[in-house]
Amino acid sequence: MKFIQSFILLFLISNSVWSFQVSNSNQAFELGMLAFENQRWTEAQSFFDQWIQTHPTDQEALWLRGQAFQNQRNFDRALSDFSSLLTLNPGYAEALFERGRVRYQLQQYEEAMSDFESFLKTPPGETTRILFKIAPGDNAVSSVTTAQTASEEDAYYHLGLCSIELEEYDFALLYLDEAILLNPSMADFHAEKGRALARLGDNVPAIESFEIALQLDPDHLPAKQGLALVKTGGDAIFQEQLNQVIADSEGNSQTYKQRGFYRMNHQDISGAIEDFSIAISMDPEDSESYFYRGKIYYRQKNWGKAEADFSDAIAIEPENPDYYLARGQSRYVSENLEAAVADFTIVISLDPEFASGFYHRGITYQRMGKLSDACPDLLEAKNLGMDEAGKAREKVCK
């Protein structure tokens, strides 16, 4: 009799525990969602673990748990969840995008590119899907949005990032330009374009890209760092890498140009001239090498050689106002004033918002004694934000 009573009691207890577990399992998804929405990633993952044990093909649970792993920087487990989800549903566009980002973090750049390209070919899913946007390489959650935030420009941006890591900088520029065309207000897009341009040795447009990024976001740290490195030619480690490439006889015109730019900004004038000259001999169609060498000759007060180099740069790239400005300055200091005015006038025609063009034409007119022409130019330069022009006008135009 006691045995039967004990058996009945054990059965009731077991049944109660089983009922409690079933109830817990049924609530696990809702509890996981609540934890997920409050960014309690470990807790959310634990609840989704329970749910997925009994619902291994639940796509939404795999999607959310994958993001929970991603936010814990457990990229291997996130990759596993997104891959399982895509096996169940190859058309789950947002999972393609997120798997691409996870693969980028795992340095699987070619596989990541494949995911981003597939994402671009796949229509986005329901806008009720939750997506936490995280900057590449950063664990900070920047915003919580619907899944449609994983947009075309984001995919092109990440394709650009992967191409930079693969040292395919020309392709990176194509992807980043596409991202910028779709959304020109993203500082990240312009900063990464600057990075790709700097790696190619195209320092002037790289500086422009970094400056655009800083106009959009004055606190954008990568843009600040990139701008500082480009303006100084890179750091010492970068210089050593260039030296090694050249020593191994693997250097091309860009390598010499980059080292020349570094040397120019670290007062190794003869070394910089030598590097730019080699770069020109290897690629006589690269206008920047002439421009930089011309700037060194200008510093040396070798006006004739400076003007010749600036003229060669202009012949290759006749729409660049910086080149005309540089040649005009060289002509000004060598007292070829009429020719200087002609160059500054071209600067203004190419870029009517370029304050320096009006300023330099104004001071050239002033030196020629043409105050009626000088004063309007100096006023225009002042109105465009150039304080130095306002001071000059105070002295010249009273």
Side-chain angles (χ1 to χ4, degrees):
M1 184 67 179
K2 287 183 179 179
F3 172 77
I4 295 173
Q5 288 176 339
S6 298
F7 178 79
I8 293 170
L9 180 61
L10 181 61
F11 173 79
L12 291 172
I13 292 171
S14 299
N15 191 53
S16 298
V17 170
W18 183 81
S19 299
F20 177 74
Q21 287 175 338
V22 170
S23 176
N24 256 7
S25 176
N26 288 334
Q27 292 176 7
F29 184 85
E30 294 177 8
L31 292 170
M33 278 289 296
L34 181 62
F36 186 94
E37 290 170 357
N38 286 280
Q39 303 179 31
R40 300 196 300 270
W41 310 120
T42 304
E43 185 181 339
Q45 173 222 313
S46 179
F47 282 122
F48 291 134
D49 285 345
Q50 294 177 42
W51 177 259
I52 291 170
Q53 281 180 5
T54 54
H55 303 79
T57 60
D58 188 320
Q59 296 179 27
E60 205 66 14
L62 288 167
W63 162 246
L64 295 169
R65 189 175 71 172
Q67 288 189 77
F69 279 129
Q70 193 178 6
N71 281 281
Q72 295 176 77
R73 302 192 71 78
N74 190 339
F75 298 122
D76 288 312
R77 293 292 301 278
L79 177 60
S80 177
D81 273 355
F82 293 138
S83 295
S84 296
L85 170 52
L86 287 164
T87 300
L88 295 167
N89 182 1
Y92 202 119
E94 297 78 27
L96 280 167
F97 181 82
E98 287 308 297
R99 188 173 70 174
R101 292 208 299 173
V102 167
R103 284 175 161 170
Y104 174 84
Q105 297 281 12
L106 291 169
Q107 300 181 11
Q108 299 173 7
Y109 302 120
E110 291 178 352
E111 295 87 345
M113 292 185 76
S114 177
D115 278 342
F116 293 128
E117 287 166 355
S118 296
F119 168 81
L120 288 168
K121 298 173 186 175
T122 307
E126 298 296 327
T127 58
T128 52
R129 291 175 184 161
I130 300 172
L131 171 66
F132 281 77
K133 288 195 72 179
I134 311 169
D138 185 1
N139 196 34
V141 176
S142 57
S143 60
V144 123
T145 63
T146 59
Q148 289 233 348
T149 304
S151 56
E152 281 188 76
E153 61 261 33
D154 290 315
Y156 283 116
Y157 169 61
H158 283 81
L159 283 165
L161 292 177
C162 292
S163 296
I164 289 173
E165 297 300 331
L166 292 169
E167 300 183 4
E168 296 174 348
Y169 305 118
D170 288 326
F171 284 112
L173 290 174
L174 291 174
Y175 290 129
L176 292 166
D177 280 339
E178 195 67 33
I180 289 168
L181 183 65
L182 291 167
N183 187 354
S185 64
M186 288 295 293
D188 285 343
F189 298 174
H190 295 280
E192 292 304 321
K193 181 179 178 180
R195 187 158 69 106
L197 287 164
R199 295 287 179 85
L200 285 170
D202 294 335
N203 295 310
V204 171
I207 289 170
E208 291 174 355
S209 289
F210 288 131
E211 288 177 341
I212 292 171
L214 289 170
Q215 288 170 11
L216 293 167
D217 179 3
D219 297 321
H220 197 282
L221 184 57
K224 286 181 179 179
Q225 293 171 335
L227 185 61
L229 281 175
V230 171
K231 284 189 172 181
T232 59
D235 56 23
I237 294 174
F238 180 60
Q239 161 76 345
E240 289 174 11
Q241 292 171 342
L242 294 174
N243 289 340
Q244 188 60 51
V245 170
I246 290 170
D248 293 340
S249 300
E250 295 177 359
N252 55 25
S253 64
Q254 298 300 315
T255 313
Y256 282 99
K257 183 174 73 172
Q258 286 178 304
R259 191 174 71 171
F261 191 78
Y262 179 92
R263 286 175 161 177
M264 179 179 73
N265 286 284
H266 290 81
Q267 310 311 314
D268 181 2
I269 301 304
S270 60
I273 289 176
E274 179 185 358
D275 278 345
F276 289 132
S277 298
I278 294 171
I280 289 168
S281 69
M282 297 177 81
D283 183 5
E285 296 303 311
D286 188 338
S287 62
E288 281 193 347
S289 295
Y290 293 101
F291 176 64
Y292 293 139
R293 191 175 68 176
K295 291 186 75 170
I296 297 174
Y297 286 138
Y298 183 90
R299 292 181 191 176
Q300 294 180 320
K301 300 183 180 181
N302 192 335
W303 317 126
K305 285 189 174 181
E307 182 176 337
D309 271 353
F310 295 141
S311 295
D312 285 337
I314 288 168
I316 297 165
E317 195 176 341
E319 301 298 315
N320 192 320
D322 289 311
Y323 294 172
Y324 288 100
L325 180 68
R327 189 175 70 176
Q329 290 170 321
S330 185
R331 286 173 166 177
Y332 174 85
V333 294
S334 63
E335 299 191 24
N336 188 358
L337 301 182
E338 292 286 352
V341 166
D343 276 342
F344 298 138
T345 300
I346 294 172
V347 172
I348 292 165
S349 68
L350 290 171
D351 186 356
E353 303 297 314
F354 199 168
S356 195
F358 287 100
Y359 171 74
H360 281 92
R361 191 174 70 174
I363 62 173
T364 306
Y365 277 138
Q366 184 268 332
R367 191 169 175 183
M368 295 168 72
K370 297 181 178 181
L371 294 186
S372 61
D373 293 319
C375 292
D377 274 354
L378 294 173
L379 178 60
E380 184 64 26
K382 177 189 173 185
N383 291 341
L384 288 169
M386 193 173 188
D387 293 336
E388 190 177 354
K391 295 175 184 177
R393 188 171 182 277
E394 285 293 315
K395 293 179 181 178
V396 171
C397 302
K398 285 185 177 180

